């Protein structure tokens, strides 16, 4: 009996030890000096508020871990390898897709403390931590004469932006944000710290450009910065009317095809809400220089009429990034979806009109939803962007410069969690309707039959990101993920699209 009791006690103690070991938060807190924050602590509460969407903030991690460097991240990953907990890694928290950078009941690794920016003034090579946001890195580089080819909204974290590709005001000059990466300091799923370059591991290097969070944790981005002086930019807004619709849709179509100045960029956004019956167009205009050439943006300004608002002016790039944060809707659930379309010819301009009308029809069905703000952005994706991206670095997106395209960004923000499923269905109906119109136009020869990947940074969780890549890109991502993560740490225990 004593022997049986002793054996039972040994088994019980062993089981309890496994259970304790299985708790990443307790293990990190008790065996390392890494900062661990629990739900009642101020740092935990503050970090949970740093999501663009309240649906992500509503997912409560068991703790938030704040590593300060690569070795600390490696320790956390090593501990995660001893258990089966789901976890997430967060850069800026701008992805509104639940569990892409958020988690319920498991540990959240926040990169907030890894926000260093070191620049070699002679070469423009920058080492930047994933805890940086675009406005932060722009401010740190201000005065150096260099800048990072980042996105358009300052509050965006550089980690998610770069791993998804990253579309920039300067993409016609330099390709994707990822095109400027020359190396990654990466914590592999087996907790090994390595530096990935085009020569050290070309397949992994390529897979990190458009492959998302499937290959480990990037702790430093080694970037080639670009020379930067004063820029010109801001927003122009117009009240919506059928005439304004037609003129702006034609203006953005013509800009995509005919603009030959890679320093110029535009985003043309239609927005509507039930708040004070707002129904408007908001334009983002940018020129990489203190003043745009005469007539550069005439089709977006004087040809349309007198704007309600015009904030365009000469400014620093850091100022533009900080100014852009007005677009973030506080205390709201946000959903973002996307489609890529071939640019219609002048004779088939009605396709853009049809897509815009489709968006208006679908968004009309949810205008009574509390706090609703609906928008669709028409973003030029000319051959120049594809050409610059391909010439600088291979990536999974791999768009050839064979046609001009547009990337559409579709946004719905609203207040109540009870409306989440309805709004997810609305989002799906919106981008599916765009896709159906494109396929129908291609079948009758009104649009060219070209490769149309989904842009990861704008993708909705229901969209098939890897399924829309070229088969060889999808297979490369799958094979690399299986090679570097044979036990499926990132492939099975984190959110996001999986190859």
């Amino acid at each position: 009996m004593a022997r049986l009791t002793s054996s039972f006690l040994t088994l019980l103690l062993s089981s309890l030890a496994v259970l304790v070991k299985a708790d990443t938060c307790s293990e990190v807190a008790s065996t390392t000096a890494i900062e661990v924050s629990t739900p009642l602590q101020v740092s935990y509460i503050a970090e949970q508020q740093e999501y663009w969407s309240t649906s992500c903030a509503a997912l409560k991690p068991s703790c938030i871990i704040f590593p300060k460097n690569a070795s600390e991240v490696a320790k956390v990953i090593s501990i995660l390898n001893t258990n089966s907990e789901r976890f997430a890694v967060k850069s800026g928290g701008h992805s509104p897709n639940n569990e892409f950078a958020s988690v319920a009941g498991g540990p959240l690794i926040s990169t907030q403390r890894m926000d260093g920016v070191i620049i070699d003034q002679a070469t423009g090579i920058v080492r930047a931590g994933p805890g940086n946001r675009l406005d932060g890195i722009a401010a740190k580089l201000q005065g150096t004469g260099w800048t990072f080819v980042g996105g358009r909204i300052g509050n965006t974290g550089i980690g998610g932006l770069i791993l998804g590709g990253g579309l920039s005001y300067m993409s016609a000059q330099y390709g994707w944000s990822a095109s400027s990466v020359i190396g990654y300091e990466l914590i592999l799923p087996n907790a090994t710290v390595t530096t990935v370059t085009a020569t050290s591991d070309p397949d992994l290097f390529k897979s990190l450009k458009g492959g998302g969070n499937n290959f480990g944790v990037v702790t430093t981005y080694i970037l080639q910065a670009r020379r930067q002086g004063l820029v010109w930019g801001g927003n122009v807004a117009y009240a919506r009317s059928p005439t304004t619709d037609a003129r702006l849709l034609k203006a953005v179509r013509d800009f995509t095809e005919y603009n030959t100045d890679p320093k110029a960029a535009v985003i043309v956004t239609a927005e509507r809400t039930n708040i004070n019956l707002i129904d408007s167009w908001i334009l983002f205009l940018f020129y990489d220089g203190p003043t745009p050439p005469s007539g550069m943006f005439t089709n977006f300004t004087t040809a349309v009429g007198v704007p309600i608002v015009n904030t365009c002016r000469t400014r620093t790039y850091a100022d533009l990034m900080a100014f852009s944060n007005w677009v973030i809707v506080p205390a709201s659930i946000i959903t973002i979806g996307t489609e890529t379309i071939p640019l219609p010819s002048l004779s088939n301009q009605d396709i853009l009109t049809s897509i815009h009308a489709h968006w208006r029809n679908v968004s009309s069905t949810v205008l009574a939803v509390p706090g609703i703000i609906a928008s669709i952005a028409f973003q030029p994706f000319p051959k120049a962007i594809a050409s610059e991206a391909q010439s600088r670095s291979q990536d999974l997106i791999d768009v050839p410069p064979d046609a001009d395209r547009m990337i559409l960004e579709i946004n719905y923000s609203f207040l109540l969690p009870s409306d989440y499923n309805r709004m997810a269905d609305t989002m799906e109906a919106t981008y599916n309707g765009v896709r159906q119109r494109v396929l129908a136009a291609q079948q009758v020869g009104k649009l060219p039959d070209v490769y149309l990947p989904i842009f990861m940074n704008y993708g909705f969780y229901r969209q098939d990101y890897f399924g829309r890549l070229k088969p060889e890109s999808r297979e490369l991502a799958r094979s690399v993920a299986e090679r570097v993560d044979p036990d499926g740490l990132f492939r099975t225990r984190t959110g996001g699209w999986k190859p």
Side-chain angles (χ1 to χ4, degrees):
M1 182 66 177
R3 184 179 301 166
L4 180 62
T5 302
S6 176
S7 298
F8 176 76
L9 182 60
T10 301
L11 178 62
L12 178 61
L13 290 174
S14 177
S15 297
L16 288 173
V18 170
L19 287 174
V20 170
K21 193 174 184 180
D23 180 355
T24 302
C25 298
S26 298
E27 185 78 3
V28 173
S30 63
T31 64
T32 76
I34 302 170
E35 179 185 352
V36 178
S37 183
T38 54
L40 295 181
Q41 292 182 286
V42 172
S43 55
Y44 179 105
I45 296 169
E47 183 67 13
Q48 281 298 99
Q49 293 175 344
E50 294 293 329
Y51 284 107
W52 283 17
S53 178
T54 57
S55 67
C56 296
L59 300 178
K60 302 301 183 184
S62 51
C63 70
I64 302 179
I65 302 170
F66 294 94
K68 299 185 296 296
N69 52 49
S71 63
E72 290 193 346
V73 173
K75 289 178 183 177
V76 177
I77 297 301
S78 180
I79 291 170
L80 281 165
N81 271 293
T82 68
N83 61 54
S84 59
E85 289 182 302
R86 287 189 66 80
F87 67 98
V89 182
K90 177 184 178 188
S91 174
H94 63 274
S95 172
N97 291 318
N98 294 342
E99 298 190 341
F100 279 41
S102 54
V103 64
L108 173 67
I109 302 171
S110 168
T111 63
Q112 183 188 104
R113 305 289 191 261
M114 294 187 286
D115 63 346
V117 176
I118 301 172
I119 183 167
D120 182 318
Q121 187 63 43
T123 64
I125 294 177
V126 174
R127 296 180 64 88
N132 283 287
R133 299 171 189 268
L134 295 178
D135 51 7
I137 193 172
K140 291 168 184 174
L141 292 175
Q142 178 62 30
T144 66
W146 299 92
T147 198
F148 162 56
V149 181
R152 284 76 66 89
I153 308 301
N155 193 253
T156 303
I158 71 167
L161 175 83
I162 295 175
L163 292 175
L167 191 58
S168 173
Y169 283 131
M170 295 177 279
S171 284
Q173 297 180 79
Y174 309 117
W176 307 111
S177 296
S179 304
S180 291
V181 179
I182 56 180
Y184 302 84
E185 180 183 70
L186 179 72
I187 312 305
L188 291 166
N190 66 2
T192 300
V193 183
T194 188
T195 298
V196 183
T197 67
T199 53
S200 71
D201 191 333
D203 287 347
L204 178 55
F205 184 72
K206 179 177 179 178
S207 296
L208 285 164
K209 300 189 176 197
N213 63 343
N214 290 293
F215 312 102
V217 181
V218 179
T219 49
T220 300
Y221 291 90
I222 306 170
L223 309 162
Q224 178 58 63
R226 309 298 175 184
R227 288 293 184 184
Q228 182 67 64
L230 292 174
V231 302
W232 180 93
N235 301 106
V236 177
Y238 296 98
R240 184 263 167 181
S241 72
T243 300
T244 304
D245 294 350
R247 288 180 176 175
L248 288 178
L249 288 171
K250 184 177 187 303
V252 70
R253 196 224 71 83
D254 290 353
F255 181 91
T256 306
E257 181 175 2
Y258 298 130
N259 174 57
T260 57
D261 189 338
K263 294 183 177 183
V266 301
I267 305 172
V268 176
T269 304
E271 182 169 289
R272 60 196 313 212
T273 176
N274 59 14
I275 303 172
N276 298 323
L277 301 177
I278 293 173
D279 198 354
S280 62
W281 286 91
I282 301 174
L283 281 56
F284 297 74
L285 306 180
F286 174 84
Y287 191 77
D288 190 8
T291 307
S294 177
M296 171 62 66
F297 298 112
T298 299
N299 286 348
F300 299 100
T301 53
T302 57
V304 180
V306 179
I308 303 169
V309 174
N310 187 342
T311 63
C312 294
R313 61 178 176 84
T314 302
R315 57 177 89 210
T316 65
Y317 188 71
D319 177 67
L320 181 66
M321 286 294 97
F323 172 76
S324 66
N325 287 328
W326 69 264
V327 305
I328 301 169
V329 184
S332 292
I333 298 171
I334 298 171
T335 58
I336 302 177
T338 189
E339 260 304 337
T340 306
I341 68 172
L343 184 71
S345 65
L346 275 173
S347 60
N348 291 314
Q349 171 75 26
D350 61 301
I351 294 172
L352 287 184
T353 303
S354 173
I355 288 172
H356 178 253
H358 162 69
W359 168 77
R360 289 192 65 85
N361 289 338
V362 176
S363 60
S364 291
T365 67
V366 293
L367 286 182
V369 169
I372 189 70
I373 301 176
S375 68
I376 183 169
F378 296 84
Q379 307 191 38
F381 184 17
K383 298 172 187 175
I385 294 179
S387 179
E388 289 297 327
Q390 286 202 339
S391 68
R392 294 176 186 279
S393 178
Q394 289 189 323
D395 56 65
L396 288 184
I397 311 165
D398 195 24
V399 180
D402 58 346
D404 295 315
R405 298 167 173 84
M406 280 189 176
I407 294 175
L408 306 186
E409 179 187 356
I410 303 157
N411 288 31
Y412 290 103
S413 63
F414 52 98
L415 292 178
L416 303 179
S418 57
D419 288 318
Y420 190 88
N421 289 336
R422 178 187 178 187
M423 294 308 303
D425 291 342
T426 302
M427 173 62 76
E428 189 171 357
T430 307
Y431 61 69
N432 279 345
V434 173
R435 179 69 170 164
Q436 290 161 8
R437 282 162 174 76
V438 168
L439 293 176
Q442 288 177 325
Q443 287 178 355
V444 297
K446 294 184 70 173
L447 285 176
D449 185 9
V450 294
Y451 169 54
L452 299 172
I454 284 186
F455 183 49
M456 178 181 277
N457 295 120
Y458 298 157
F460 190 54
Y461 72 94
R462 293 184 183 179
Q463 294 186 280
D464 185 8
Y465 171 75
F466 282 102
R468 291 279 293 273
L469 294 180
K470 293 176 180 177
E472 55 269 31
S473 291
R474 183 168 65 251
E475 175 56 27
L476 176 67
R478 185 198 61 76
S479 63
V480 170
E482 290 181 349
R483 169 167 64 88
V484 302
D485 189 14
D487 296 325
L489 181 69
F490 285 84
R491 290 185 291 119
T492 64
R493 291 168 55 186
T494 61
W497 293 286
K498 305 302 173 186

